[in-house]
Amino acid sequence: MSSSPIPSSPPPSTPVTSQNQPSKRTRANSNASDSELAGSRHKRCQTDPLVRTGKHVARTIYIKFHALSVLQHGVELLAKHDAGEIDELPSGHSDKQWRIFSDIMKLIPDAKRKLTAETGDEYLTRLASALDEGIAAGRSDDTNGLKKAIADWVSSSEGRIPRSSKSGRGFHNIVTARLLAPPRHNVHDSATLRKLRDEIIRPSANEYPPFLYKDFTVDPDNLIDGLFESELLLKAAKHILIGPSSADSLETSTRSTRLGNAALNNMHEVTLPFMAYVCAQ
């Protein structure tokens, strides 16, 4: 009697584990520092130091400028000075582009030598591109991160503001309206709030918003008292320079294993442009 062929058994199924499942792509956390934005692949793909410098320049020197024009202007003045065509380099007060150029050179000590070398044109193009990328990315990172953080900081029983969108803020929301409107405007009056929202009423340039002041309290007879002492400004500054986790802490440093943006850029004091940058966020 002939035996029937034995059917081959199916191959054992491979158990589904977290290791062989396709991993989901995660978005970079806009609340993180520039170092943290590299995510878990930080060791393999670090942020370009020149791009990081561009972010720092936007935050602490000048919020927006054309990097290529500034670098070309600076290199041209250096060449004229070396050739004896001009006796001295301009001051930062008389030449804004030179001031920005000089501040960038302080942040990148070897940049001046590379820009004036034989291959300077190639380095100039690369540096300008990296700075422009950093300037745009820095503003975007900070806006996205603070957009959510500020919603948590100022929302109260009086009202809440959306974390994921900037719409519905300003004079469209009583919570943010009371931080923006000068004391002479009663935002709790619906007619006044509507006029502010529709720009029928416009605060003058010399009326500073309460969010700049300690305890959000403005003394109309002494506008300097408490100015720039707002806890909200301090939280925003720490959020950008040290890290999100430090914003609610009284400490001036963080225990995080990653460096904050101030440490990454060797920043030891707050600059006036940075104060303006935080206020504009």
Side-chain angles (χ1 to χ4, degrees), residues 98-121:
W98 173 255
R99 176 176 61 81
I100 298 173
F101 176 82
S102 299
D103 287 338
I104 292 173
M105 295 303 102
K106 294 175 185 176
L107 292 172
I108 315 173
D110 203 35
K112 186 180 293 186
R113 180 188 63 81
K114 292 182 178 180
L115 286 171
T116 55
E118 292 184 2
T119 57
D121 290 344

PDB file of all heavy atoms in Angstrom, residues 98-121:
ATOM      1  N   TRP A  98      27.179  96.365  10.232  1.00  0.00           N
ATOM      2  CA  TRP A  98      28.496  96.061  10.813  1.00  0.00           C
ATOM      3  C   TRP A  98      28.348  95.576  12.261  1.00  0.00           C
ATOM      4  O   TRP A  98      29.075  94.696  12.699  1.00  0.00           O
ATOM      5  CB  TRP A  98      29.398  97.281  10.746  1.00  0.00           C
ATOM      6  CG  TRP A  98      30.691  97.067  11.476  1.00  0.00           C
ATOM      7  CD1 TRP A  98      31.050  97.583  12.696  1.00  0.00           C
ATOM      8  CD2 TRP A  98      31.787  96.240  11.056  1.00  0.00           C
ATOM      9  NE1 TRP A  98      32.299  97.133  13.050  1.00  0.00           N
ATOM     10  CE2 TRP A  98      32.773  96.310  12.066  1.00  0.00           C
ATOM     11  CE3 TRP A  98      32.030  95.465   9.932  1.00  0.00           C
ATOM     12  CZ2 TRP A  98      33.975  95.624  11.984  1.00  0.00           C
ATOM     13  CZ3 TRP A  98      33.243  94.783   9.845  1.00  0.00           C
ATOM     14  CH2 TRP A  98      34.191  94.857  10.856  1.00  0.00           C
ATOM     15  N   ARG A  99      27.412  96.158  12.994  1.00  0.00           N
ATOM     16  CA  ARG A  99      27.187  95.727  14.373  1.00  0.00           C
ATOM     17  C   ARG A  99      26.749  94.268  14.415  1.00  0.00           C
ATOM     18  O   ARG A  99      27.241  93.478  15.228  1.00  0.00           O
ATOM     19  CB  ARG A  99      26.134  96.614  15.046  1.00  0.00           C
ATOM     20  CG  ARG A  99      25.787  96.160  16.466  1.00  0.00           C
ATOM     21  CD  ARG A  99      24.813  97.129  17.127  1.00  0.00           C
ATOM     22  NE  ARG A  99      23.556  97.242  16.417  1.00  0.00           N
ATOM     23  CZ  ARG A  99      22.555  96.365  16.530  1.00  0.00           C
ATOM     24  NH1 ARG A  99      22.690  95.311  17.320  1.00  0.00           N
ATOM     25  NH2 ARG A  99      21.439  96.546  15.867  1.00  0.00           N
ATOM     26  N   ILE A 100      25.819  93.905  13.539  1.00  0.00           N
ATOM     27  CA  ILE A 100      25.352  92.512  13.496  1.00  0.00           C
ATOM     28  C   ILE A 100      26.496  91.590  13.096  1.00  0.00           C
ATOM     29  O   ILE A 100      26.699  90.525  13.685  1.00  0.00           O
ATOM     30  CB  ILE A 100      24.169  92.367  12.517  1.00  0.00           C
ATOM     31  CG1 ILE A 100      22.974  93.211  12.980  1.00  0.00           C
ATOM     32  CG2 ILE A 100      23.749  90.908  12.395  1.00  0.00           C
ATOM     33  CD1 ILE A 100      21.834  93.260  11.986  1.00  0.00           C
ATOM     34  N   PHE A 101      27.263  91.999  12.094  1.00  0.00           N
ATOM     35  CA  PHE A 101      28.413  91.212  11.635  1.00  0.00           C
ATOM     36  C   PHE A 101      29.409  91.004  12.775  1.00  0.00           C
ATOM     37  O   PHE A 101      29.896  89.894  13.006  1.00  0.00           O
ATOM     38  CB  PHE A 101      29.093  91.929  10.464  1.00  0.00           C
ATOM     39  CG  PHE A 101      30.342  91.255   9.973  1.00  0.00           C
ATOM     40  CD1 PHE A 101      30.272  90.183   9.097  1.00  0.00           C
ATOM     41  CD2 PHE A 101      31.601  91.690  10.389  1.00  0.00           C
ATOM     42  CE1 PHE A 101      31.434  89.559   8.638  1.00  0.00           C
ATOM     43  CE2 PHE A 101      32.759  91.082   9.941  1.00  0.00           C
ATOM     44  CZ  PHE A 101      32.672  90.002   9.065  1.00  0.00           C
ATOM     45  N   SER A 102      29.714  92.076  13.498  1.00  0.00           N
ATOM     46  CA  SER A 102      30.689  91.981  14.594  1.00  0.00           C
ATOM     47  C   SER A 102      30.203  91.041  15.687  1.00  0.00           C
ATOM     48  O   SER A 102      30.984  90.250  16.247  1.00  0.00           O
ATOM     49  CB  SER A 102      30.948  93.375  15.183  1.00  0.00           C
ATOM     50  OG  SER A 102      31.479  94.241  14.205  1.00  0.00           O
ATOM     51  N   ASP A 103      28.912  91.107  16.011  1.00  0.00           N
ATOM     52  CA  ASP A 103      28.357  90.229  17.046  1.00  0.00           C
ATOM     53  C   ASP A 103      28.389  88.767  16.605  1.00  0.00           C
ATOM     54  O   ASP A 103      28.630  87.873  17.423  1.00  0.00           O
ATOM     55  CB  ASP A 103      26.927  90.645  17.382  1.00  0.00           C
ATOM     56  CG  ASP A 103      26.869  91.942  18.183  1.00  0.00           C
ATOM     57  OD1 ASP A 103      27.884  92.282  18.810  1.00  0.00           O
ATOM     58  OD2 ASP A 103      25.818  92.609  18.166  1.00  0.00           O
ATOM     59  N   ILE A 104      28.156  88.522  15.317  1.00  0.00           N
ATOM     60  CA  ILE A 104      28.230  87.145  14.805  1.00  0.00           C
ATOM     61  C   ILE A 104      29.659  86.632  14.898  1.00  0.00           C
ATOM     62  O   ILE A 104      29.904  85.471  15.260  1.00  0.00           O
ATOM     63  CB  ILE A 104      27.718  87.082  13.346  1.00  0.00           C
ATOM     64  CG1 ILE A 104      26.218  87.364  13.297  1.00  0.00           C
ATOM     65  CG2 ILE A 104      28.016  85.707  12.735  1.00  0.00           C
ATOM     66  CD1 ILE A 104      25.662  87.487  11.895  1.00  0.00           C
ATOM     67  N   MET A 105      30.624  87.480  14.591  1.00  0.00           N
ATOM     68  CA  MET A 105      32.022  87.071  14.660  1.00  0.00           C
ATOM     69  C   MET A 105      32.426  86.714  16.088  1.00  0.00           C
ATOM     70  O   MET A 105      33.254  85.832  16.312  1.00  0.00           O
ATOM     71  CB  MET A 105      32.929  88.187  14.129  1.00  0.00           C
ATOM     72  CG  MET A 105      32.765  88.502  12.643  1.00  0.00           C
ATOM     73  SD  MET A 105      33.039  87.085  11.534  1.00  0.00           S
ATOM     74  CE  MET A 105      31.326  86.616  11.138  1.00  0.00           C
ATOM     75  N   LYS A 106      31.834  87.373  17.077  1.00  0.00           N
ATOM     76  CA  LYS A 106      32.128  87.044  18.478  1.00  0.00           C
ATOM     77  C   LYS A 106      31.591  85.662  18.844  1.00  0.00           C
ATOM     78  O   LYS A 106      32.175  84.964  19.675  1.00  0.00           O
ATOM     79  CB  LYS A 106      31.524  88.101  19.399  1.00  0.00           C
ATOM     80  CG  LYS A 106      32.153  89.484  19.262  1.00  0.00           C
ATOM     81  CD  LYS A 106      31.411  90.494  20.124  1.00  0.00           C
ATOM     82  CE  LYS A 106      31.953  91.898  19.909  1.00  0.00           C
ATOM     83  NZ  LYS A 106      31.178  92.914  20.679  1.00  0.00           N
ATOM     84  N   LEU A 107      30.489  85.294  18.227  1.00  0.00           N
ATOM     85  CA  LEU A 107      29.893  83.986  18.517  1.00  0.00           C
ATOM     86  C   LEU A 107      30.620  82.855  17.804  1.00  0.00           C
ATOM     87  O   LEU A 107      30.583  81.705  18.253  1.00  0.00           O
ATOM     88  CB  LEU A 107      28.410  83.982  18.097  1.00  0.00           C
ATOM     89  CG  LEU A 107      27.470  84.877  18.910  1.00  0.00           C
ATOM     90  CD1 LEU A 107      26.093  84.913  18.268  1.00  0.00           C
ATOM     91  CD2 LEU A 107      27.370  84.392  20.345  1.00  0.00           C
ATOM     92  N   ILE A 108      31.270  83.178  16.680  1.00  0.00           N
ATOM     93  CA  ILE A 108      32.001  82.158  15.908  1.00  0.00           C
ATOM     94  C   ILE A 108      33.445  82.655  15.766  1.00  0.00           C
ATOM     95  O   ILE A 108      33.800  83.290  14.765  1.00  0.00           O
ATOM     96  CB  ILE A 108      31.373  81.942  14.518  1.00  0.00           C
ATOM     97  CG1 ILE A 108      29.855  81.835  14.612  1.00  0.00           C
ATOM     98  CG2 ILE A 108      31.932  80.682  13.856  1.00  0.00           C
ATOM     99  CD1 ILE A 108      29.146  81.790  13.290  1.00  0.00           C
ATOM    100  N   PRO A 109      34.291  82.393  16.745  1.00  0.00           N
ATOM    101  CA  PRO A 109      35.638  82.988  16.782  1.00  0.00           C
ATOM    102  C   PRO A 109      36.471  82.757  15.529  1.00  0.00           C
ATOM    103  O   PRO A 109      37.273  83.614  15.160  1.00  0.00           O
ATOM    104  CB  PRO A 109      36.276  82.302  18.004  1.00  0.00           C
ATOM    105  CG  PRO A 109      35.122  81.886  18.858  1.00  0.00           C
ATOM    106  CD  PRO A 109      34.031  81.532  17.910  1.00  0.00           C
ATOM    107  N   ASP A 110      36.317  81.628  14.862  1.00  0.00           N
ATOM    108  CA  ASP A 110      37.158  81.318  13.702  1.00  0.00           C
ATOM    109  C   ASP A 110      36.558  81.815  12.394  1.00  0.00           C
ATOM    110  O   ASP A 110      37.151  81.653  11.327  1.00  0.00           O
ATOM    111  CB  ASP A 110      37.374  79.796  13.632  1.00  0.00           C
ATOM    112  CG  ASP A 110      38.628  79.428  12.856  1.00  0.00           C
ATOM    113  OD1 ASP A 110      39.623  80.181  12.938  1.00  0.00           O
ATOM    114  OD2 ASP A 110      38.613  78.387  12.169  1.00  0.00           O
ATOM    115  N   ALA A 111      35.377  82.422  12.465  1.00  0.00           N
ATOM    116  CA  ALA A 111      34.670  82.801  11.236  1.00  0.00           C
ATOM    117  C   ALA A 111      35.401  83.889  10.460  1.00  0.00           C
ATOM    118  O   ALA A 111      35.482  83.833   9.224  1.00  0.00           O
ATOM    119  CB  ALA A 111      33.259  83.259  11.572  1.00  0.00           C
ATOM    120  N   LYS A 112      35.961  84.878  11.149  1.00  0.00           N
ATOM    121  CA  LYS A 112      36.621  85.983  10.454  1.00  0.00           C
ATOM    122  C   LYS A 112      37.799  85.479   9.624  1.00  0.00           C
ATOM    123  O   LYS A 112      38.004  85.899   8.479  1.00  0.00           O
ATOM    124  CB  LYS A 112      37.080  87.040  11.452  1.00  0.00           C
ATOM    125  CG  LYS A 112      37.657  88.286  10.810  1.00  0.00           C
ATOM    126  CD  LYS A 112      38.091  89.306  11.847  1.00  0.00           C
ATOM    127  CE  LYS A 112      36.918  89.871  12.587  1.00  0.00           C
ATOM    128  NZ  LYS A 112      37.338  90.971  13.509  1.00  0.00           N
ATOM    129  N   ARG A 113      38.577  84.549  10.198  1.00  0.00           N
ATOM    130  CA  ARG A 113      39.725  84.005   9.457  1.00  0.00           C
ATOM    131  C   ARG A 113      39.258  83.233   8.230  1.00  0.00           C
ATOM    132  O   ARG A 113      39.839  83.381   7.138  1.00  0.00           O
ATOM    133  CB  ARG A 113      40.535  83.075  10.369  1.00  0.00           C
ATOM    134  CG  ARG A 113      41.764  82.454   9.690  1.00  0.00           C
ATOM    135  CD  ARG A 113      42.411  81.411  10.563  1.00  0.00           C
ATOM    136  NE  ARG A 113      41.516  80.298  10.814  1.00  0.00           N
ATOM    137  CZ  ARG A 113      41.316  79.290   9.950  1.00  0.00           C
ATOM    138  NH1 ARG A 113      41.918  79.293   8.769  1.00  0.00           N
ATOM    139  NH2 ARG A 113      40.500  78.307  10.269  1.00  0.00           N
ATOM    140  N   LYS A 114      38.191  82.450   8.380  1.00  0.00           N
ATOM    141  CA  LYS A 114      37.690  81.658   7.250  1.00  0.00           C
ATOM    142  C   LYS A 114      37.088  82.543   6.170  1.00  0.00           C
ATOM    143  O   LYS A 114      37.223  82.257   4.975  1.00  0.00           O
ATOM    144  CB  LYS A 114      36.662  80.650   7.746  1.00  0.00           C
ATOM    145  CG  LYS A 114      37.240  79.546   8.615  1.00  0.00           C
ATOM    146  CD  LYS A 114      36.165  78.553   9.045  1.00  0.00           C
ATOM    147  CE  LYS A 114      36.750  77.429   9.878  1.00  0.00           C
ATOM    148  NZ  LYS A 114      35.703  76.451  10.315  1.00  0.00           N
ATOM    149  N   LEU A 115      36.429  83.617   6.566  1.00  0.00           N
ATOM    150  CA  LEU A 115      35.801  84.502   5.589  1.00  0.00           C
ATOM    151  C   LEU A 115      36.836  85.266   4.770  1.00  0.00           C
ATOM    152  O   LEU A 115      36.589  85.613   3.603  1.00  0.00           O
ATOM    153  CB  LEU A 115      34.878  85.500   6.299  1.00  0.00           C
ATOM    154  CG  LEU A 115      33.551  84.941   6.823  1.00  0.00           C
ATOM    155  CD1 LEU A 115      32.851  85.972   7.692  1.00  0.00           C
ATOM    156  CD2 LEU A 115      32.642  84.520   5.673  1.00  0.00           C
ATOM    157  N   THR A 116      37.980  85.550   5.347  1.00  0.00           N
ATOM    158  CA  THR A 116      39.015  86.316   4.636  1.00  0.00           C
ATOM    159  C   THR A 116      40.072  85.423   4.000  1.00  0.00           C
ATOM    160  O   THR A 116      41.035  85.929   3.409  1.00  0.00           O
ATOM    161  CB  THR A 116      39.691  87.294   5.613  1.00  0.00           C
ATOM    162  OG1 THR A 116      40.195  86.570   6.746  1.00  0.00           O
ATOM    163  CG2 THR A 116      38.707  88.353   6.089  1.00  0.00           C
ATOM    164  N   ALA A 117      39.907  84.102   4.089  1.00  0.00           N
ATOM    165  CA  ALA A 117      40.846  83.178   3.457  1.00  0.00           C
ATOM    166  C   ALA A 117      40.535  83.056   1.965  1.00  0.00           C
ATOM    167  O   ALA A 117      39.564  83.625   1.455  1.00  0.00           O
ATOM    168  CB  ALA A 117      40.760  81.810   4.137  1.00  0.00           C
ATOM    169  N   GLU A 118      41.362  82.292   1.227  1.00  0.00           N
ATOM    170  CA  GLU A 118      41.168  82.123  -0.214  1.00  0.00           C
ATOM    171  C   GLU A 118      39.839  81.446  -0.526  1.00  0.00           C
ATOM    172  O   GLU A 118      39.230  81.707  -1.563  1.00  0.00           O
ATOM    173  CB  GLU A 118      42.330  81.310  -0.801  1.00  0.00           C
ATOM    174  CG  GLU A 118      43.673  82.045  -0.782  1.00  0.00           C
ATOM    175  CD  GLU A 118      44.759  81.241  -1.461  1.00  0.00           C
ATOM    176  OE1 GLU A 118      44.447  80.142  -1.966  1.00  0.00           O
ATOM    177  OE2 GLU A 118      45.912  81.704  -1.493  1.00  0.00           O
ATOM    178  N   THR A 119      39.408  80.550   0.355  1.00  0.00           N
ATOM    179  CA  THR A 119      38.127  79.852   0.155  1.00  0.00           C
ATOM    180  C   THR A 119      36.991  80.558   0.888  1.00  0.00           C
ATOM    181  O   THR A 119      35.976  79.944   1.218  1.00  0.00           O
ATOM    182  CB  THR A 119      38.237  78.399   0.649  1.00  0.00           C
ATOM    183  OG1 THR A 119      38.642  78.415   2.041  1.00  0.00           O
ATOM    184  CG2 THR A 119      39.258  77.628  -0.151  1.00  0.00           C
ATOM    185  N   GLY A 120      37.171  81.846   1.129  1.00  0.00           N
ATOM    186  CA  GLY A 120      36.195  82.597   1.915  1.00  0.00           C
ATOM    187  C   GLY A 120      34.816  82.661   1.297  1.00  0.00           C
ATOM    188  O   GLY A 120      33.809  82.639   2.013  1.00  0.00           O
ATOM    189  N   ASP A 121      34.735  82.735  -0.036  1.00  0.00           N
ATOM    190  CA  ASP A 121      33.429  82.825  -0.693  1.00  0.00           C
ATOM    191  C   ASP A 121      32.581  81.583  -0.423  1.00  0.00           C
ATOM    192  O   ASP A 121      31.370  81.682  -0.200  1.00  0.00           O
ATOM    193  CB  ASP A 121      33.602  83.011  -2.204  1.00  0.00           C
ATOM    194  CG  ASP A 121      34.143  84.382  -2.550  1.00  0.00           C
ATOM    195  OD1 ASP A 121      34.086  85.268  -1.677  1.00  0.00           O
ATOM    196  OD2 ASP A 121      34.621  84.562  -3.689  1.00  0.00           O
TER     197      ASP A 121
END
